[in-house]
Amino acid sequence: MSSFFGHSLAAFTIYALKKPAAATSWYRPLWLSWLVTIALAPDLDHFIPFLHQSRHQEIRITHSLIGVLLLPIITIIIMLIIGNRGRNLKNCSLQVICTGLSHIVLDLLVGVVGLHLFWPWNLKLFKLPFGIFPSAGQLSLTNYYLYENLFIEAGIILPLFYLIYLAFQGKTIFINQKWQIICLALICSFFMMWGSSLSR
């Protein structure tokens, strides 16, 4: 699985690509916080006993499509109920769906553990034959690999997500930043090669 850092940064990037219209000063930070919550929510199965895979025949139900899209769907329904309509509803709906899906995308790119994406309708296990992200590592302040893996993950995600952000700013801005883009791409590529070389 990817780390809390990677999932949180994915939510922040998705938010930054299209910030919602803010009716009040607290709306945007509240919305960003909710996107981060959605991005991290599938990993609650580590802490909530009835969601743990040991209760579900070793299936991580929170890491299925229905698991990662449950909160986004509930969010969209609530927005409709309170009268949110138009472009803002469309943008916010797209953000919550992309944020939910980002969790399983990042976890699959670790290439260690397979996911039952179509649970409960199909129990087929999906696993990529490669990995570019390191595993999250055991949460312990004395665990060297926790810090190493976070360093590698940051080396991939920070430049990659910033490149995505630049690409969404328009063709002119993207072209004008060509040397910065080349440097970011080289850094990202280096860390991807490092991450993919780790034993799995």
Side-chain angles (χ1 to χ4, degrees), residues 47-66:
F47 310 103
I48 301 177
F50 75 86
L51 292 176
H52 195 267
Q53 61 192 49
S54 61
R55 297 285 187 92
H56 303 278
Q57 299 161 339
E58 299 306 317
I59 296 173
R60 298 191 72 184
I61 62 171
T62 58
H63 286 65
S64 63
L65 287 173
I66 193 171

Side-chain angles (χ1 to χ4, degrees), residues 7-138:
H7 293 308
S8 299
L9 193 57
F12 183 83
T13 304
I14 291 168
Y15 166 83
L17 294 179
K18 191 67 176 179
K19 294 178 182 177
T24 61
S25 59
W26 51 263
Y27 180 81
R28 282 182 175 172
L30 183 65
W31 181 249
L32 174 58
S33 299
W34 181 240
L35 290 180
V36 172
T37 300
I38 289 173
L40 296 175
D43 284 338
L44 285 175
D45 62 349
H46 287 297
F47 310 103
I48 301 177
F50 75 86
L51 292 176
H52 195 267
Q53 61 192 49
S54 61
R55 297 285 187 92
H56 303 278
Q57 299 161 339
E58 299 306 317
I59 296 173
R60 298 191 72 184
I61 62 171
T62 58
H63 286 65
S64 63
L65 287 173
I66 193 171
V68 299
L69 291 177
L70 180 61
L71 280 180
I73 290 170
I74 291 173
T75 302
I76 294 168
I77 292 172
I78 291 173
M79 292 175 70
L80 284 168
I81 291 173
I82 64 177
N84 202 324
R85 296 289 188 277
R87 181 174 294 179
N88 196 49
L89 174 64
K90 179 181 177 182
N91 291 338
C92 289
S93 298
L94 187 60
Q95 281 187 328
V96 290
I97 290 170
C98 289
T99 300
L101 292 175
S102 73
H103 191 103
I104 54 177
V105 171
L106 292 182
D107 278 8
L108 283 172
L109 287 172
V110 174
V112 173
V113 179
L115 302 177
H116 298 85
L117 296 182
F118 296 106
W119 176 89
W121 302 284
N122 189 318
L123 299 185
K124 181 179 179 180
L125 190 68
F126 290 85
K127 180 183 176 183
L128 294 179
F130 63 90
I132 60 172
F133 290 116
S135 179
Q138 182 182 0

Side-chain angles (χ1 to χ4, degrees), residues 3-5 134-155 191 194 198:
S3 75
F4 66 92
F5 170 78
S135 179
Q138 182 182 0
L139 289 176
S140 171
L141 295 178
T142 59
N143 180 16
Y144 164 79
Y145 293 105
L146 171 65
Y147 301 104
E148 181 184 76
N149 290 353
L150 278 174
F151 179 65
I152 296 171
E153 185 179 44
F191 280 97
W194 186 359
L198 299 175

Side-chain angles (χ1 to χ4, degrees), residues 112 195-200:
V112 173
S196 62
S197 69
L198 299 175
S199 59
R200 303 183 187 279

